[in-house]
Amino acid sequence: MMRQLLVFALARVKNLRVTEADDGVDGLRKLASARYDIIVTDINMPIMDGLKLVKRVRSDPIHKDTPIVIITTEGSQEDRQRALQLGANAYITKPIQAPQVIATVKELLRIE
Amino acid sequence: MADEKKPSAESNSPSQDLRSERDRFVKTFTRGSRLTDEFIQDYERMLDRVATLEAENANLRAQLAADRAVRDLVQQIERLEAEKSDLLSRTNRAEAITNQFTTRVQEVESEFSNLANLYVASNQLHSSLSPRGVTRRIKEVLAQLLGAERYSMYLANEDGTELVPIASEGIGGNDLAPVPIAESRLGDVLRSGEAKVEEDGDPSRGDLNRPAAVIPLVVDERVVGVIAIFSTLSQKTRFDAVDFELFRLLGQQAAAALVSASLFAQAERRLPGLEAFLDLSV
């Protein structure tokens, strides 16, 4: 459901084409086969969670500088810092709102 | 020496007439000379005066030219001020239009966001035909769209005396007992069919005795149960307009989706035959 809402929101960002992944491993597989401008991931995912995905992405020479937005239910300052320390660029807490996602993505991609 | 002759005074000295003539001439010459000097002095004074007047005239001309230039500049400034005022007025009008446009865009974006949430929620509720799947999706709507942290879904028992919990999150087993419909907050909502939302307080601070929101679940205009959101995530400190729309959507569709899924499961997931749709009289 979260993915559906994210796709809805991201479709509002001009010239952005969305590729969906089922979990962290699927995400890494897709990242290996193409270059992406931004990664939006939930922390809570099956098989590989969002934080592990961030770590792996940051060690990938192709995507080490790709902006990452992490989404989670955790709203505490510690969780936010943990995600940011691992290399995430922005942090959105649930319940997510489409305008917040759009604004965050636009800011990271420097889109007016 | 004795032979030298002295000129006689009578023969050598000029005559009186000549002397007089000479004296007149000298006088005349002297006066003429004095007059000439005076003329020359007057002439020089006049030259000085002319020079002074010419200088004054030049100054006056320059001043006149400067005054004209100042007048032109003042006129130009007035024209520019008028242009500036016109431009400012047009800019203000353009800004007002831009502000209206921006506000409208924000409203549309907000409306879009709300519709996206409602669409996704509705789509989710009806995307499963298993009771477990529908329940899971109801829980996802509660957690991910409404930010509910502790919540429970209840259905009324057959004799209408108790609300029985059928799904929950964040609540210990001991707190999941059936709730008597009579004289309970949840029962009040079931009987009235009206959602009860604590609009003034912080929903993240709600508890089991004072739920942040209780939503009636309706099937075919009958209230068959309630969803109680006891508390929300810590960052969810108030319910927005879209949350109330989601309450309404859940109330109208969650139980219907659950009943449909249950009937489908009871029918062993067999789709009804075409004959089931032939007598609809539409």
Side-chain angles (χ1 to χ4, degrees), chain A residues 29-46:
Chain A
R29 198 178 302 128
K30 285 184 166 119
L31 285 168
S33 60
R35 199 181 184 99
Y36 294 92
D37 295 316
I38 193 161
I39 299 164
V40 182
T41 178
D42 200 334
I43 275 190
N44 300 313
M45 288 192 294

Side-chain angles (χ1 to χ4, degrees), chain B residues 155-226:
Chain B
L155 290 179
N157 62 2
E158 286 180 2
D159 59 10
T161 55
E162 284 182 332
L163 282 164
V164 181
I166 59 163
S168 68
E169 191 68 49
I171 300 168
N174 294 339
D175 293 321
L176 278 176
V179 177
I181 289 174
E183 295 176 9
S184 70
R185 279 174 179 266
L186 306 189
D188 289 346
V189 171
L190 185 91
R191 286 195 307 276
S192 69
E194 298 282 333
K196 187 169 176 57
V197 182
E198 294 291 333
E199 292 183 49
D200 297 330
D202 177 351
S204 69
R205 295 176 182 275
D207 56 40
L208 291 171
N209 297 319
R210 195 178 176 81
V214 184
I215 308 146
L217 295 173
V218 180
V219 177
D220 196 24
E221 297 182 1
R222 279 184 297 170
V223 185
V224 297
V226 298

Side-chain angles (χ1 to χ4, degrees), chain B residues 29-257:
Chain B
F29 183 80
T30 305
R31 198 168 61 234
S33 170
R34 197 173 56 244
L35 282 170
T36 303
D37 285 344
E38 284 174 4
F39 282 144
I40 288 169
Q41 283 174 1
D42 282 348
Y43 180 71
E44 284 174 349
R45 275 200 301 275
M46 283 175 73
L47 280 178
D48 286 346
R49 181 69 184 139
V50 165
T52 306
L53 286 170
E54 277 181 352
E56 280 178 8
N57 197 10
N59 281 339
L60 284 169
R61 279 175 193 281
Q63 196 174 342
L64 194 64
D67 285 350
R68 203 171 291 138
V70 167
R71 212 165 34 244
D72 288 348
L73 278 173
V74 167
Q75 282 175 354
Q76 201 171 345
I77 286 167
E78 283 170 356
R79 268 200 312 276
L80 288 171
E81 285 287 349
E83 269 181 42
K84 180 183 153 191
S85 170
D86 180 47
L87 281 172
L88 274 175
S89 155
R90 283 158 65 182
T91 305
N92 288 340
R93 279 201 302 275
E95 270 181 5
I97 290 168
T98 305
N99 287 341
Q100 281 174 6
F101 182 70
T102 305
T103 306
R104 186 71 194 119
V105 167
Q106 284 168 349
E107 284 171 3
V108 169
E109 284 294 340
S110 172
E111 194 67 22
F112 161 76
S113 169
N114 295 348
L115 288 172
N117 279 17
L118 292 171
Y119 170 79
V120 169
S122 177
N123 193 33
Q124 286 293 314
L125 289 176
H126 298 290
S127 64
S128 174
L129 275 175
S130 79
R132 189 180 294 276
V134 172
T135 305
R136 185 162 58 83
R137 282 164 172 77
I138 292 170
K139 289 172 78 172
E140 282 186 0
V141 171
L142 287 165
Q144 301 196 15
L145 295 186
L146 282 163
E149 187 175 49
R150 300 170 73 211
Y151 52 88
S152 186
M153 183 160 63
Y154 300 84
L155 290 179
N157 62 2
E158 286 180 2
D159 59 10
T161 55
E162 284 182 332
L163 282 164
V164 181
I166 59 163
S168 68
E169 191 68 49
I171 300 168
N174 294 339
D175 293 321
L176 278 176
V179 177
I181 289 174
E183 295 176 9
S184 70
R185 279 174 179 266
L186 306 189
D188 289 346
V189 171
L190 185 91
R191 286 195 307 276
S192 69
E194 298 282 333
K196 187 169 176 57
V197 182
E198 294 291 333
E199 292 183 49
D200 297 330
D202 177 351
S204 69
R205 295 176 182 275
D207 56 40
L208 291 171
N209 297 319
R210 195 178 176 81
V214 184
I215 308 146
L217 295 173
V218 180
V219 177
D220 196 24
E221 297 182 1
R222 279 184 297 170
V223 185
V224 297
V226 298
I227 290 174
I229 299 174
F230 297 109
S231 64
T232 57
L233 296 165
S234 60
Q235 65 269 25
K236 177 78 178 176
T237 54
R238 68 185 176 92
F239 289 122
D240 298 316
V242 67
D243 297 326
F244 288 88
E245 294 293 332
L246 282 168
F247 291 154
R248 197 170 297 125
L249 184 139
L250 278 172
Q252 289 166 354
Q253 297 189 19

